[in-house]
Amino acid sequence: MSRDIRVSFIGDSFVQGIGDPEHRGWVGRVLQATAHEVTAFNLGIRRNTSDDVLRRCWQEVEPRTLPGADNRLVVSFGSNDTVEEDGGVRVDPARCLDNLASILDESERRAVTALVVGPPPVVGAGEGHLRRALELAEEMAATCRRRQVPFIATTRALAEDATWAGEALAGDGAHPGSGGYTKLADLVLTDLWHDWITDPRR
């Protein structure tokens, strides 16, 4: 018996798929490789931080859920939070983690099953950004573990990936092309993703 699986993907420009000439990004590629039929909504917005995502999350996700459906939420942010602007990061790491916790706790309250994808690196932002993003990703993973929410790490693997880095540097310094998004999709398409789609409660 088929289920009505409704998945909202919310986050930043990497969720939106900016830079991909095929206009699929990692979200489109993950959906293409997902065996179960799902109704998907891409709610990525360029330059969004965790503050921005928290502010708009439920007003955008709630209309896309249905009573009795298998409602899901994939959250991915943090890359913009850790970018330096005006002498500091855009969002303090502690507040970013609080924002994540707020979304996950509300998701649990609403019976919307969540999964978190870690922040991809902004290659052109340098080693300082990478260090901050790696530290934030570790704390995000811990926040998810405490709530038994799946977390998919992406930061280090993409930072070490020649395709991701090469395409980003050939473009705007942040966003890859189709090859880089394929690499990110491959990280998401682990057994963890397929298990989550098949049995979100594990």
Side-chain angles (χ1 to χ4, degrees), residues 9 15 20 23-34 42 185:
F9 295 80
V15 174
D20 182 7
H23 307 289
R24 291 191 292 150
W26 67 264
V27 172
R29 288 171 169 80
V30 166
L31 291 169
Q32 189 174 18
T34 300
N42 191 319

Side-chain angles (χ1 to χ4, degrees), residues 80-140:
N80 288 318
D81 295 55
T82 49
V83 168
E84 284 188 328
E85 283 188 356
D86 302 321
V89 294
R90 291 185 64 195
V91 178
D92 181 80
R95 192 164 85 240
C96 178
L97 295 171
D98 285 344
N99 291 341
L100 177 61
S102 294
I103 290 172
L104 297 182
D105 291 346
E106 182 65 13
S107 181
E108 175 69 16
R109 190 187 74 78
R110 292 171 180 255
V112 174
T113 307
L115 177 145
V116 178
V117 175
V122 178
V123 178
E127 289 299 318
H129 176 271
L130 177 58
R131 185 190 70 252
R132 292 188 298 272
L134 286 168
E135 291 171 355
L136 179 62
E138 289 181 4
E139 293 298 326
M140 292 174 76

Side-chain angles (χ1 to χ4, degrees), residues 149-169:
V149 170
F151 178 85
I152 298 176
T154 69
T155 316
R156 186 178 299 279
L158 292 176
E160 296 173 352
D161 185 84
T163 300
W164 177 276
E167 289 185 351
L169 291 174

Side-chain angles (χ1 to χ4, degrees), residues 51-87:
D51 284 347
D52 300 315
V53 173
L54 175 62
R55 189 177 304 114
R56 65 186 176 88
C57 182
W58 296 108
Q59 67 184 20
E60 296 187 16
V61 172
E62 184 176 19
R64 292 166 171 85
T65 64
L66 284 179
D70 186 348
N71 298 302
R72 313 286 189 94
L73 178 64
V74 177
V75 181
S76 184
F77 54 60
S79 299
N80 288 318
D81 295 55
T82 49
V83 168
E84 284 188 328
E85 283 188 356
D86 302 321

